Amino acid sequence: MKGTGCFFALLQALLLLAWARPCVAEVKLHSLPHQPRQGEAFLLQVLSDSPLGSVTGSWRNRTIHFFPGPDRRRFEAILGVDLAQAPGRSLVRVEIRTTGGDRRSLRTPLDVLPVDFPVQRLTLPRRMVTLSRKTLDRVMREKARVSRLFQDLDTKKRWGAGFMPPLQGAVLSPFGARRILNGEPRSPHSGVDLKASEGTPVRASSDGIVALVAEHYFAGKSVYLDHGGGIVSMYFHLSQVRVRQDDRIRKGEVIGLVGKTGRATGPHLHWGVRVAGSRVDPFSVVKIFREEALR
Ligand SMILES: [Zn+2]
């Protein structure tokens, strides 16, 4: 009898413990694609069987900004692997807080796959390659201006409607191409060059705010759109810009016309995307939304 009493006391204690503890959510981490490649954007999802209070995280010493779905059972973030980031394994850390105030830490390994980027040899007139002191100073100033832009971004998510290419055109120069200019290795191509004739309308890839309108030495007439949550898209070599600084833009709105301003041998659109500063293939961002309709 004594043993039975003990058993019931234990059962009662366990039941009390279960009653007193708030329900612990079943939470899973999911990345799409499962193994991102160098220069690729990817979606990180936190999926829970019950609503969550908050989700924060970090990857490679960078804060991850998660955005909740309407029922707070799903939190999502878009991350990017810079084209020059070394392939291999790193840990994604996520901290969740249930609506009852329970905290939990999750860790998951993430493998970045290597990409053999194509080599592209270009020949340009010497005057376009060898820069004078004055031009170099100008290029440095422009570079600093663009770096500041990436440090001062809107945290509000505006890309809910997904991303689209700014125009339909063949790829003239692919993302990540290792460029050899007049026989000398240069920075890899951080965007894609799309074939289009002068004056073709260039459309905003997603909803956003005009973060910068500029006329830079290399990029020519250019527009930078801040889509929130660390995502920026850029459009270079325009013949005309149709927007102004701080304008709110809708996905698909015409922001300018194709041209060949800056260092360009002919009319085309250079389209680039950065995710938390990482240079990613713009088509990889479009693809995420095709495969997984974000709300
Ligand atoms: Zn380009």
Side-chain angles (χ1 to χ4, degrees):
M1 279 303 281
K2 203 178 169 196
T4 320
C6 243
F7 172 75
F8 279 115
L10 187 69
L11 189 69
Q12 201 178 19
L14 280 174
L15 281 172
L16 260 174
L17 202 69
W19 175 79
R21 261 186 83 76
C23 180
V24 177
E26 177 80 27
V27 183
K28 283 184 192 139
L29 276 179
H30 180 67
S31 109
L32 187 104
H34 181 55
Q35 292 177 313
R37 294 153 25 113
Q38 287 177 299
E40 192 170 40
F42 65 100
L43 178 72
L44 190 67
Q45 292 180 316
V46 174
L47 304 168
S48 166
D49 64 355
S50 55
L52 297 175
S54 66
V55 178
T56 54
S58 66
W59 179 55
R60 297 179 64 93
N61 300 321
R62 277 202 180 136
T63 304
I64 306 173
H65 295 287
F66 282 100
F67 296 99
D71 62 0
R72 302 190 74 83
R73 286 168 197 264
R74 168 166 156 156
F75 280 68
E76 291 165 324
I78 292 183
L79 303 179
V81 182
D82 187 80
L83 66 90
Q85 183 181 314
R89 178 166 284 194
S90 52
L91 274 184
V92 176
R93 293 161 210 272
V94 173
E95 305 284 323
I96 62 156
R97 208 169 156 168
T98 63
T99 46
D102 255 15
R103 286 165 190 271
R104 215 160 110 200
S105 302
L106 298 165
R107 276 155 202 235
T108 191
L110 187 80
D111 293 314
V112 168
L113 302 179
V115 175
D116 193 13
F117 291 112
V119 174
Q120 197 176 34
R121 288 170 203 281
L122 301 161
T123 307
L124 286 179
R126 184 181 283 271
R127 62 179 171 78
M128 286 176 85
V129 180
T130 315
L131 308 183
S132 68
R133 185 73 246 168
K134 200 175 149 206
T135 306
L136 261 177
D137 286 347
R138 176 185 166 185
V139 167
M140 294 312 282
R141 277 199 306 278
E142 292 169 353
K143 217 175 154 182
R145 175 68 192 92
V146 171
S147 303
R148 279 204 306 281
L149 182 151
F150 291 119
Q151 281 153 22
D152 184 28
L153 294 176
D154 194 0
T155 50
K156 189 181 169 204
K157 172 179 131 179
R158 298 181 190 277
W159 40 257
F163 284 78
M164 59 177 257
L167 54 83
Q168 296 301 321
V171 173
L172 287 173
S173 171
F175 175 80
R178 289 175 289 175
R179 290 180 150 179
I180 299 176
L181 200 54
N182 296 356
E184 284 179 38
R186 296 293 171 117
S187 308
H189 194 213
S190 59
V192 285
D193 289 349
L194 298 176
K195 188 176 176 179
S197 51
E198 179 123 15
T200 304
V202 174
R203 297 176 185 278
S205 286
S206 190
D207 291 2
I209 290 178
V210 179
L212 181 67
V213 171
E215 182 151 12
H216 287 166
Y217 180 78
F218 286 120
K221 288 185 180 167
S222 40
V223 173
Y224 290 73
L225 295 182
D226 181 352
H227 304 291
I231 306 181
V232 174
S233 64
M234 52 207 91
Y235 313 82
F236 295 171
H237 311 304
L238 305 173
S239 58
Q240 264 184 49
V241 171
R242 293 268 172 97
V243 291
R244 277 184 291 195
Q245 180 91 27
D246 300 327
D247 279 356
R248 279 166 191 267
I249 306 296
R250 308 297 293 180
K251 178 184 177 186
E253 210 174 297
V254 175
I255 55 170
L257 304 179
V258 168
K260 53 173 195 251
T261 55
R263 195 171 76 180
T265 47
H268 72 276
L269 177 70
H270 172 104
W271 173 40
V273 170
R274 289 217 190 192
V275 177
S278 295
R279 300 161 294 175
V280 298
D281 184 344
F283 283 111
S284 71
V285 187
V286 174
K287 201 171 139 211
I288 287 177
F289 289 86
R290 271 200 204 123
E291 289 180 2
E292 181 78 15
L294 290 184
R295 287 156 295 275

